[in-house]
Amino acid sequence: MARAIVTFGRSWHALAVTRSLGRQGIDVYCGEEAPFAPCFFSRYCKGNFQYPSVSKEPEAFVDFLAEKVKELKPPGDEPYVLMPVHKETWLIAKHRERFEPHISVPLTSVENMDQTHDKGQLATLAEQQGIRIPRTRQFTSVDDLYRAIPDVDLPVFLKVRMGSAGVGLKKCDTPEELTGTFKQFAEGYGLEPEEYPLVQQFVEGDDYCVTALFDQGTCVASMTYRNVRAFPRETGAGAIREAVRLPAAEASAEKLLAGLGWHGMAELDFRVAPDGTAYLIEINPRFFGGLSQAIAANVDYPHLLFRIASGERIGQLPEVDYSARTEAPLVGLLATLDE
């Protein structure tokens, strides 16, 4: 029987992965650092386990998971795939050699992850590829920032180069707020001058998520969605989502990822300005919060990824069902009450 291991079982997108694979007759084993997780209670979860904290005990996590991979390995030559869901993706990619003798790890290279996670490197890469990105500047001293203030069009976003999930990110509306936050970030995060936060142009507009699956540099599936409603209203998780067409952003995503020889999942955030220009904001090399929307729109990423990891070639891109809408039940209720 084909088998998969899914991590970060507390998340709803891990549950979406578990259901997707389980419905295809694949045995799914779910891991999580907390003692309980939604995935553990799914009828498609064959078994579950608790692992050490990814953040606090990274070495123990890798050691534990490497042994668990060996323990759960099927007796024959059946397909066997490791599917990380959240921040453990980077750690698994970094220690790929610990896992790959026993299980397929369908992730892009750690070099690709590092290059696209660093917002400064991503800005340089996008400019080289001719892909629109908000104007991004880096300063190696507070004095340089002070001197540049007259040329900075406020408001701007101040971003720590390696920040994620809103950490090390702040919108600054005044020169005083910009310089004060710059010093706060530099000192609070203990940054060296070459690591100082980026100053990025603020672009008015709406946010879209371009998602894609690549097989050694070739795009085999793609779909875009947006949050119709979120909670909290401006910055929170998607409550109601819908699939949309965004050709310019999708073409930019494919150009960038193909040039990197990308392999596995990718989710790219774009901000679309009122004039229709799509600006790349960031890239994530993993599954994403709106995974259930992709599956509902006929783009079953977990199963497609499993097939690629098992050595199968995907011949034709799935046709996106643009009529599909999904709602996160609890978040949807909160969003409705908030509105």
Side-chain angles (χ1 to χ4, degrees):
M1 178 74 74
R3 185 170 294 182
I5 293 177
V6 177
T7 57
F8 199 60
R10 77 179 77 173
S11 66
W12 294 116
H13 37 308
L15 182 59
V17 174
T18 302
R19 289 171 171 170
S20 164
L21 299 180
R23 287 169 182 152
Q24 298 296 330
I26 298 164
D27 284 346
V28 183
Y29 290 81
C30 302
E32 166 57 40
E33 62 185 60
F36 297 103
C39 283
F40 293 177
F41 301 97
S42 170
R43 61 174 172 163
Y44 297 112
C45 178
K46 188 78 171 180
N48 63 75
F49 55 90
Q50 184 179 1
Y51 49 69
S53 169
V54 175
S55 300
K56 299 177 182 177
E57 303 175 88
E59 293 183 5
F61 166 78
V62 172
D63 290 341
F64 177 93
L65 190 58
E67 290 304 312
K68 184 60 66 173
V69 162
K70 295 177 188 177
E71 176 189 325
L72 295 176
K73 187 174 183 178
D77 295 328
E78 297 88 352
Y80 185 36
V81 181
L82 177 57
M83 290 196 172
V85 171
H86 195 47
K87 58 187 177 183
E88 69 279 1
T89 300
W90 281 266
L91 201 54
I92 290 170
K94 184 177 180 180
H95 298 278
R96 188 190 301 263
E97 74 285 350
R98 297 281 303 275
F99 305 101
E100 282 192 325
H102 313 285
I103 192 168
S104 296
V105 183
L107 299 174
T108 198
S109 67
V110 71
E111 291 78 16
N112 276 347
M113 289 186 185
D114 288 344
Q115 185 175 192
T116 53
H117 184 55
D118 184 311
K119 295 176 177 62
Q121 290 190 44
L122 178 59
T124 300
L125 183 63
E127 290 171 0
Q128 291 171 348
Q129 295 280 351
I131 294 169
R132 292 267 193 172
I133 196 165
R135 187 188 181 194
T136 304
R137 303 172 67 180
Q138 183 175 8
F139 301 93
T140 55
S141 73
V142 179
D143 289 341
D144 287 343
L145 176 59
Y146 276 125
R147 284 191 286 268
I149 287 293
D151 298 323
V152 175
D153 293 326
L154 296 167
V156 295
F157 273 115
L158 197 63
K159 298 182 174 183
V160 173
R161 294 178 66 111
M162 303 294 281
S164 61
V167 176
L169 170 67
K170 184 172 175 59
K171 182 184 174 188
C172 300
D173 297 298
T174 66
E176 294 77 17
E177 189 175 19
L178 174 58
T179 53
T181 306
F182 186 93
K183 288 191 288 186
Q184 179 185 351
F185 279 5
E187 295 170 3
Y189 290 107
L191 303 178
E192 297 297 326
E194 65 274 10
E195 301 171 326
Y196 280 176
L198 304 172
V199 177
Q200 191 169 79
Q201 169 196 3
F202 172 74
V203 177
E204 292 279 0
D206 299 316
D207 295 327
Y208 291 79
C209 297
V210 176
T211 66
L213 174 61
F214 275 71
D215 185 358
Q216 304 297 345
T218 299
C219 182
V220 298
S222 177
M223 70 83 65
T224 301
Y225 72 91
R226 73 182 185 99
N227 294 329
V228 180
R229 187 179 296 168
F231 181 82
R233 194 176 304 178
E234 297 296 329
T235 59
I240 300 177
R241 302 181 176 99
E242 65 179 5
V244 297
R245 292 178 174 86
L246 201 63
E250 290 160 1
S252 294
E254 182 168 357
K255 179 180 180 181
L256 180 61
L257 296 174
L260 292 170
W262 198 269
H263 186 69
M265 285 302 311
E267 183 270 330
L268 302 90
D269 292 335
F270 281 86
R271 171 67 60 90
V272 179
D275 65 0
T277 303
Y279 292 86
L280 175 64
I281 304 299
E282 66 177 48
I283 299 178
N284 294 299
R286 52 179 172 80
F287 289 118
F288 46 94
L291 181 59
S292 58
Q293 172 61 42
I295 295 171
N298 194 45
V299 185
D300 191 346
Y301 281 125
H303 189 224
L304 289 168
L305 182 61
F306 189 91
R307 290 166 60 189
I308 287 173
S310 303
E312 184 178 341
R313 294 292 179 184
I314 309 298
Q316 185 175 2
L317 271 69
E319 187 173 340
V320 179
D321 177 3
Y322 290 101
S323 68
R325 264 195 177 199
T326 57
E327 180 173 348
L330 177 59
V331 181
L333 173 61
L334 293 172
T336 301
L337 294 173
D338 182 53
E339 190 169 284

